[in-house]
Amino acid sequence: GTLDRPGARDWLLDRVVTPASVGPALVDPVRELCAELDGETLAGYLIGGLLKSDLPLATAHSLVWSALDAEDFALAPLPNHLFPRDNSCWIYDRLSVNPMAKPARRRESLHAEAIYRFHPMFEAAAFEPLLDGPAGTLEGGDVHVLGNGAVMVGMGERTTAQAVENLAARLFAPIQFLHLSLPH
């Protein structure tokens, strides 16, 4: 699987197990636990969450640790992870790994990006993400590929005008460039 590939585990954990997600004092203990796990077990923790009782340690210098009960999550679960069309989508032959609106779903996009970057099925492909950086928020369920080069993107609570505009600029920039470079 993806998490057993060279570089994949570190790439993902560098973005998931952070001071913001588990507290500064728990970053190293959580990373040490993750280093010992096989990819399938680690994926289970990253999706299903990591309980305080899952960590084989007692960290006296962690306020986060002290505030958690044994059955509290040190790393929150991702209950909506079963909706993969939201965190990434294909627009014809282009991939969009989507910046999600709801904080509880943002890690899902990192999981999708790790798969596209490291899974053996995609290793021969060179994907340039359509959206990167602060591009607003977008969910794949709002993106509709209509055919014949047309794409319709709905805006609302989870897909912002900024993201739609950034997506359109990235989708159509190569077409404009190719059109302008054609000999007359």
Side-chain angles (χ1 to χ4, degrees):
T2 299
L3 293 173
D4 290 319
R5 304 284 294 177
R9 181 181 303 243
D10 287 338
W11 184 91
L12 186 57
L13 292 176
D14 286 347
R15 289 155 179 82
V16 171
V17 181
T18 65
S21 66
V22 298
L26 289 183
V27 169
D28 288 340
V30 171
R31 288 291 299 258
E32 288 169 16
L33 170 70
C34 292
E36 298 171 5
L37 301 173
D38 63 89
E40 186 175 337
T41 303
L42 177 57
Y45 280 129
L46 292 174
I47 295 168
L50 182 66
L51 297 172
K52 178 181 179 178
S53 61
D54 293 327
L55 292 168
L57 57 109
T59 306
H61 302 294
S62 171
L63 181 60
V64 173
W65 180 267
S66 299
L68 293 173
D69 288 330
E71 296 304 311
D72 285 341
F73 286 101
L75 183 65
L78 301 174
N80 295 307
H81 206 287
L82 63 126
F83 302 109
R85 71 180 172 116
D86 290 334
N87 60 50
S88 68
C89 62
W90 287 90
I91 303 170
Y92 298 100
D93 62 347
R94 307 281 302 273
L95 170 67
S96 180
V97 177
N98 303 324
M100 305 288 282
K102 302 296 182 187
R105 300 206 61 198
R106 290 185 185 143
R107 283 188 5 236
E108 295 175 43
S109 297
L110 292 171
H111 293 183
E113 187 172 348
I115 291 167
Y116 290 119
R117 282 179 178 269
F118 298 102
H119 194 279
M121 275 180 51
F122 301 105
E123 68 187 349
F127 296 111
E128 283 294 320
L130 288 169
L131 292 176
D132 54 359
T137 60
L138 178 106
E139 294 203 10
D142 291 333
V143 177
H144 304 278
V145 177
L146 303 175
N148 204 24
V151 178
M152 179 175 66
V153 182
M155 293 185 307
E157 177 186 7
R158 291 178 281 191
T159 296
T160 63
Q162 295 90 332
V164 174
E165 195 169 321
N166 283 311
L167 180 66
R170 292 294 300 268
L171 277 172
F172 297 114
I175 294 169
Q176 291 169 354
F177 174 79
L178 291 174
H179 177 71
L180 294 173
S181 67
L182 293 175
H184 294 337

